[in-house]
Amino acid sequence: MEYIDVVEFSNCYYTFTCSILVKCHSRISQIKCNDLNSHILLCRSWSILMFAEHRWHCSVRSMSSAVRKRRALPSAFPVLDQPLKPIHQHVYEANLRNSSACLKKYTEFSEKVRKGGGENAIARHTQRNRKLLVRDRLRLLLDDEDFLELSPFAGLGLPYGDIPSAGCLTGIGRINGLWCVFIANDATVKGGTAYPITVKKQLRAQEIAIQNRLPCVYLVDSGGAFLPLQSEIFPDKNQGGRTFYNEAIMSAMKIPQVSVVCGSCTAGGAYVPTMAEEAVMVHRIGTIFLGGPPLVKAATGEEVTPEDLGGATLHAEVSGCVDHFAWEEKEAFASTRNIISTLNFQLPEEEETKRKAEEEPLYSSEELLGLAPKDYNYTIDVKLVVSRLTDGSRFQEFKARYGTTLVTGFAKIHGHLVGIVANNGELSYEAALKGSHFVQLCDQRDIPLLFLQNTAPSAARTLNTKQAEINTNRLKAQGSMMSAVACASVPKITVVIGGCHGADSYALCGRAFEPNFLFLWPNARVSVTAPGHAGSLLLPDGEQEEEQKKQEEKLNRRLKEESSAFFSSGRLWDDGVILPQDTRKVLRDSLEIIKQQQYQLSTEKAPSAVLRI
């Protein structure tokens, strides 16, 4: 059966009815009234025609209204009856102890990040420079503090030292009800100097804005690049200059960008506000110049103040580099909120009523702490995790009896329909074929995909001919699943709930496969093979067995250190470490953020970048 879209049908109906009405108008207008009866008949004909036209307009209005008021199909997915059983108790308690240790480390890292550059730097920033702290700025900019912070642990544990939050806060929060990406420099960390990890974090935030068509707000307070590491910041494709390239591309894509100059914009930082569509600048605090007063004095011998060289008055009245002048930071952020309100988005009605009607899972999300596997040997059936994430613990499983080491199916999370793909053992030949089928099915139906990763610790060894045949078939099936995941055009969210190892992680939409968001639980491990399995990477050598054993132990120690979730997040291999009990909320925010792009009304014009004067 062939279906026709409602809007298309209404357009056809409109054209057909118009042609009939035009013909009736022309025929009636040609009638000449020779007597009273003819005149009465003509009047009646006009009345009938006007009535028909009125009914037609009403029907078209109601049809277009029906298009606007679309609602999701009702669903009654089966309930996953997955309570904790006595048989799970030993594993559950071991996992819970490990989660408590991970939670302690998570809390320590969070406190370290919130201190920024330390007490002295904060005092200098607030008292001498009279600036607001970056989180205080966000309180003035955003509707509330309930925002999705991205990669808060980025910059910790790097070879060149700790750079808390990579020297800038990035995330997604609501401004006048609209989800917006923000990139906010923290000048208490190394004076706002940009390190390689800073650039990487800013580029990831822009990538998220591009992928999800989110407005972007830059809070600029930067001292430029950290020159001793310039070779890792300046020259390559995905380094410093990419920020400005992205700004131009985003403008051409009609993704709005607003910049607030609330501090120094020196050297490369000066291009951020001048390439944004609208810029706000704070008097006596914000400055924009390629080289500051010391450089001017060194080059020309002339002494000049920062305000005269590149202050808000100069750029608002003379150069035209900024569009809005603000006397203080509070006024600047109020102005920014007003700018966001001019964006052409038509958001749906308040969804609080809808949220109240949503079903909570039947089981407590706190139980996820005991379901987060300490290692692969402590894994419990992944359906227990699914039942603590989905609305009403409901799940419509797909191919339940085939390829059982991969769980696939449909569920709702805070009312959003998703397709779930979750490891439940090794990714076998049958499991990979099943995963490939399900991913393509979701792509066909435009249903977002949620991947729950807990892959096998190492690849299966080939010790005989039969095993070689099994592994060959598995490789082909996994290749098919990777192709399906890479080519799927629907949004993808990945949560690593356990291990992220080897090629299996690619098939479950690892970082290289560009998911819209990728989060880790604190217990997660990310490495080519799991700690304790380094032997699978080494060729057996009977003659040098002792030497090989030492090498294996050394490699296992390194894997244990470098595979932790905090090591990964410090290097921005993910979008942040999230607590298991917060996963449902993070998924809700992520799905709402992804969905927002359909509410933008001004995406149809031919693209052209906004070029500032």
Side-chain angles (χ1 to χ4, degrees):
M1 180 181 284
E2 190 174 329
Y3 294 92
I4 188 168
D5 186 78
V6 176
V7 177
E8 186 183 342
F9 174 74
S10 64
N11 289 338
C12 295
Y13 180 61
Y14 173 83
T15 307
F16 175 71
T17 313
C18 269
S19 63
I20 293 176
L21 290 173
V22 168
K23 286 179 182 177
C24 290
H25 273 291
S26 61
R27 292 295 297 273
I28 292 174
S29 61
Q30 292 170 7
I31 297 174
K32 293 183 179 179
C33 302
N34 297 322
D35 54 23
L36 182 60
N37 290 333
S38 299
H39 183 74
I40 292 171
L41 180 62
L42 180 63
C43 290
R44 284 179 177 174
S45 299
W46 272 111
S47 300
I48 292 169
L49 181 63
M50 291 300 103
F51 178 71
E53 193 170 357
H54 173 71
R55 289 295 300 272
W56 168 68
H57 279 298
C58 290
S59 65
V60 169
R61 277 199 301 272
S62 64
M63 194 174 293
S64 62
S65 174
V67 171
R68 284 196 302 270
K69 295 179 181 177
R70 289 174 179 161
R71 62 182 181 84
L73 292 173
S75 60
F77 297 153
V79 173
L80 272 177
D81 186 19
Q82 295 287 337
L84 288 168
K85 297 175 182 176
I87 196 172
H88 300 143
Q89 196 65 29
H90 172 69
V91 175
Y92 182 85
E93 288 176 357
N95 287 340
L96 196 57
R97 286 193 295 271
N98 182 64
S99 289
S100 298
C102 291
L103 182 59
K104 185 178 178 183
K105 193 169 185 180
Y106 178 92
T107 306
E108 288 174 5
F109 274 53
S110 297
E111 289 175 358
K112 189 172 186 177
V113 161
R114 284 194 168 269
K115 290 177 182 176
E119 292 181 5
N120 293 336
I122 289 173
R124 184 167 59 249
H125 183 84
T126 55
Q127 295 171 20
R128 193 180 79 180
N129 299 335
R130 297 181 181 179
K131 296 180 186 176
L132 294 176
L133 294 174
V134 65
R135 292 187 184 274
D136 293 331
R137 287 170 173 168
L138 291 175
R139 287 188 189 96
L140 293 174
L141 176 67
L142 304 176
D143 293 350
D144 51 49
E145 294 184 50
D146 185 24
F147 60 85
L148 180 61
E149 186 172 354
L150 300 171
S151 306
F153 300 151
L156 297 180
L158 298 181
Y160 46 81
D162 284 343
I163 316 295
S165 282
C168 71
L169 264 69
T170 63
I172 309 168
R174 279 193 172 98
I175 304 175
N176 295 328
L178 188 70
W179 288 105
C180 300
V181 168
F182 60 81
I183 301 173
N185 295 112
D186 185 355
T188 68
V189 179
K190 314 292 184 183
T193 306
Y195 283 74
I197 194 68
T198 312
V199 174
K200 188 176 181 181
K201 188 171 181 179
Q202 291 173 347
L203 291 178
R204 175 55 185 158
Q206 286 183 318
E207 184 185 341
I208 287 172
I210 291 170
Q211 201 171 17
N212 301 290
R213 298 192 62 87
L214 297 170
C216 191
V217 180
Y218 305 92
L219 308 187
V220 193
D221 191 354
S222 170
F226 181 64
L227 294 179
L229 295 175
Q230 64 83 26
S231 63
E232 299 176 46
I233 297 173
F234 173 71
D236 207 357
K237 175 184 174 183
N238 287 318
Q239 291 181 353
R242 192 72 178 188
T243 305
F244 316 124
Y245 173 87
N246 285 345
E247 281 196 72
I249 293 300
M250 288 162 72
S251 185
M253 291 175 66
K254 301 181 73 63
I255 297 173
Q257 297 168 92
V258 181
S259 180
V260 185
V261 182
C262 44
S264 175
C265 286
T266 308
Y271 293 103
V272 174
T274 52
M275 291 188 70
E277 292 175 8
E278 289 193 59
V280 185
M281 195 167 180
V282 185
H283 183 54
R284 295 194 180 281
I285 290 178
T287 54
I288 300 176
F289 34 60
L290 292 176
L295 193 62
V296 172
K297 186 175 181 180
T300 66
E302 182 182 354
E303 292 191 4
V304 62
T305 66
E307 188 66 21
D308 291 338
L309 184 64
T313 304
L314 175 85
H315 288 303
E317 298 178 4
V318 181
S319 73
C321 280
V322 298
D323 310 293
H324 306 274
F325 176 95
W327 289 101
E328 58 181 1
E329 290 195 62
K330 189 175 181 181
E331 181 186 344
F333 293 115
S335 178
T336 306
R337 288 179 60 83
N338 290 338
I339 292 168
I340 295 297
S341 68
T342 68
L343 304 183
N344 203 4
F345 282 78
Q346 187 173 356
L347 298 177
E349 296 296 324
E350 189 60 46
E351 297 186 355
E352 284 301 318
T353 310
K354 177 190 147 196
R355 281 189 182 175
K356 287 176 184 174
E358 289 164 6
E359 291 182 277
E360 287 297 315
L362 300 181
Y363 310 100
S364 171
S365 60
E366 295 294 327
E367 292 179 355
L368 290 170
L369 290 167
L371 298 175
K374 176 183 174 181
D375 61 44
Y376 194 73
N377 295 327
Y378 285 78
T379 300
I380 303 177
D381 191 341
V382 76
K383 290 180 186 176
L384 273 80
V385 174
V386 172
S387 65
R388 284 149 181 83
L389 294 177
T390 61
D391 292 356
S393 298
R394 295 180 182 275
F395 184 61
Q396 174 70 31
E397 193 167 359
F398 177 78
K399 284 187 182 290
R401 297 192 170 199
Y402 183 79
T404 54
T405 55
L406 189 75
V407 172
T408 57
F410 300 100
K412 288 191 175 181
I413 297 176
H414 284 280
H416 299 279
L417 180 64
V418 294
I420 295 176
V421 182
N423 286 114
N424 206 27
E426 290 187 3
L427 191 61
S428 64
Y429 167 76
E430 294 83 4
L433 287 181
K434 168 182 170 178
S436 179
H437 183 177
F438 183 72
V439 167
Q440 292 176 75
L441 183 64
C442 289
D443 191 36
Q444 183 78 4
R445 297 178 183 174
D446 286 329
I447 297 173
L449 284 159
L450 170 62
F451 296 88
L452 301 178
Q453 266 199 37
N454 182 24
T455 61
S458 62
R461 289 191 170 193
T462 304
L463 302 174
N464 52 55
T465 308
K466 186 177 180 182
Q467 188 65 44
E469 186 179 345
I470 292 170
N471 288 350
T472 300
N473 289 333
R474 180 187 294 181
L475 277 172
K476 289 191 288 187
Q478 286 180 355
S480 296
M481 185 173 174
M482 285 184 205
S483 296
V485 171
C487 297
S489 58
V490 294
K492 299 178 275 281
I493 301 171
T494 302
V495 182
V496 181
I497 63 173
C500 175
H501 307 297
D504 288 14
S505 70
Y506 302 146
L508 269 289
C509 201
R511 186 64 147 183
F513 281 66
E514 296 190 348
N516 293 57
F517 296 100
L518 187 150
F519 301 105
L520 308 180
W521 281 2
N523 60 293
R525 293 277 176 185
V526 181
S527 57
V528 67
T529 191
H533 293 79
S536 64
L537 302 176
L538 303 173
L539 291 173
D541 188 350
E543 296 179 3
Q544 298 182 347
E545 189 175 341
E546 192 66 32
E547 185 66 29
Q548 189 173 19
K549 193 174 181 181
K550 288 181 181 178
Q551 189 180 356
E552 186 177 331
E553 287 175 359
K554 183 180 177 182
L555 191 53
N556 276 324
R557 283 197 300 271
R558 185 168 181 178
L559 283 170
K560 186 174 182 180
E561 177 191 344
E562 295 183 356
S563 65
S564 83
F566 301 100
F567 186 93
S568 168
S569 207
R571 284 149 184 78
L572 259 169
W573 299 343
D574 53 74
D575 295 317
V577 178
I578 61 172
L579 297 176
Q581 61 268 36
D582 295 337
T583 306
R584 185 170 150 84
K585 175 185 174 297
V586 170
L587 291 175
R588 178 199 73 194
D589 289 347
S590 301
L591 290 165
E592 286 182 1
I593 288 163
I594 290 167
K595 190 178 179 181
Q596 179 178 276
Q597 58 188 291
Q598 66 184 280
Y599 304 133
Q600 187 175 1
L601 302 180
S602 55
T603 59
E604 298 303 320
K605 288 183 184 177
S608 62
V610 172
L611 302 177
R612 300 183 60 83
I613 58 172

